[in-house]
């Protein structure tokens, strides 16, 4: 998700990450933390096929993501904690919801879930290598934000389908296909930036 946050730099050195106690009380970071706390409830309601509650939780998660980006910009609350907490909350919330869809009796395709999980795991592992080799971590770029937003929209269609059977045929599947296009593009974008920074880190000073 993470639709409105636009960090100035694509990368930051891990040695310079500074998290103060005050950062935990910023509205933007509180909203990201709230989204983390909402994740197990979202999983439970989807798994138990309680679609009304699941849809409400999903909508609240999307709104909280939009608002945390708004408050971060409006009150200049861009912090290292936010750069870490926001994408983690996005990935966990979306991943848990998709996993619950796979486990429940929905028509969400297993192969799409595998593609999304492999992408997220690859980004996490890539960040680990980058942090170890180049002392840097990646921040979400435009493609990553678009991916989170598109996946959130597709997820909402899957949650609403049992409640609104009059929705256009296969709208949830087509929205998922659009989201997967962003998944591929964002993966290539992150990979290119990571390889570039690793290559630069190997150059003699």
């Amino acid at each position: 998700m993470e639709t409105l946050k636009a960090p100035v730099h694509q990368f930051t050195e891990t040695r310079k990450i500074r998290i103060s106690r005050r950062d935990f009380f910023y509205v933007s970071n509180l909203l990201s933390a709230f989204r983390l706390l909402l994740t197990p409830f979202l999983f439970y309601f989807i798994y138990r096929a309680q679609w009304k509650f699941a849809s409400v939780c999903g909508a609240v998660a999307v709104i909280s993501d939009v608002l945390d980006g708004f408050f971060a910009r409006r009150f200049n609350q861009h912090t290292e904690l936010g750069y870490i907490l926001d994408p983690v909350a996005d990935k966990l919330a979306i991943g848990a919801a998709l996993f619950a869809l796979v486990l429940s009796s929905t028509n969400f395709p297993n192969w799409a879930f595998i593609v999304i999980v492999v992408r997220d795991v690859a980004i996490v592992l890539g960040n680990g290598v980058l942090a170890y080799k180049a002392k840097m971590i990646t921040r979400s770029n435009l493609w990553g934000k678009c991916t989170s937003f598109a996946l959130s929209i597709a997820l909402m269609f899957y949650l609403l389908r049992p409640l609104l059977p009059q929705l256009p045929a296969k709208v949830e599947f087509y929205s998922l296909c659009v989201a997967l296009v962003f998944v591929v593009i964002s993966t290539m974008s992150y990979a290119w930036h990571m390889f570039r920074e690793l290559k630069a880190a190997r150059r003699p000073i």
Side-chain angles (χ1 to χ4, degrees):
M1 292 180 279
E2 206 182 356
T3 55
L4 296 181
K5 287 187 180 179
V8 177
H9 302 292
Q10 176 65 29
F11 295 94
T12 179
E13 292 187 11
T14 55
R15 294 172 181 171
K16 293 184 179 180
I17 291 179
R18 296 172 183 172
I19 298 176
S20 67
R21 186 176 302 175
R22 181 181 59 181
D23 295 345
F24 289 91
F25 297 96
Y26 283 157
V27 176
S28 56
N29 293 336
L30 287 174
L31 286 169
S32 294
F34 171 74
R35 197 157 62 257
L36 277 175
L37 295 176
L38 197 64
T39 297
F41 295 97
L42 181 60
F43 176 88
Y44 175 80
F45 290 136
I46 296 175
Y47 181 69
R48 301 293 295 180
Q50 298 182 13
W51 302 115
K52 289 184 179 179
F53 292 113
S55 298
V56 170
C57 281
V60 170
V62 173
I63 293 172
S64 72
D65 187 53
V66 173
L67 288 179
D68 73 14
F70 168 78
F71 285 118
R73 294 194 309 165
R74 179 65 176 81
F75 300 114
N76 193 27
Q77 294 181 347
H78 295 293
T79 64
E80 298 296 340
L81 176 63
Y83 291 141
I84 296 171
L85 188 60
D86 188 35
V88 168
D90 287 345
K91 284 182 173 56
L92 287 180
I94 293 175
L98 296 181
F99 185 45
L101 282 175
V102 170
L103 294 178
S104 61
S105 56
T106 65
N107 60 345
F108 189 87
N110 292 350
W111 61 264
F113 173 73
I114 294 174
V115 168
I116 295 167
V117 169
V118 168
R119 177 253 187 189
D120 287 345
V121 171
I123 290 177
V124 171
L125 293 178
N127 268 323
V129 173
L130 192 65
Y132 179 74
K133 297 288 187 180
K135 307 303 180 185
M136 308 175 79
I137 59 172
T138 58
R139 294 173 177 171
S140 295
N141 58 17
L142 176 62
W143 293 117
K145 300 175 196 300
C146 290
T147 300
S148 295
F149 183 73
L151 285 173
S152 300
I153 296 301
L155 173 61
M156 287 305 301
F157 278 127
Y158 274 96
L159 297 183
L160 290 172
R161 170 59 71 186
L163 300 175
L164 301 173
Q166 66 272 27
L167 285 173
K170 295 187 177 181
V171 64
E172 64 271 30
F173 178 74
Y174 294 137
S175 63
L176 175 62
C177 291
V178 173
L180 290 175
V181 171
F182 284 111
V183 166
V184 173
I185 295 175
S186 64
T187 302
M188 295 174 62
S189 173
Y190 283 128
W192 183 79
H193 284 295
M194 288 179 182
F195 283 126
R196 186 185 65 178
E197 295 301 322
L198 286 173
K199 184 177 179 180
R202 289 196 296 264
R203 293 173 184 168
I205 301 176

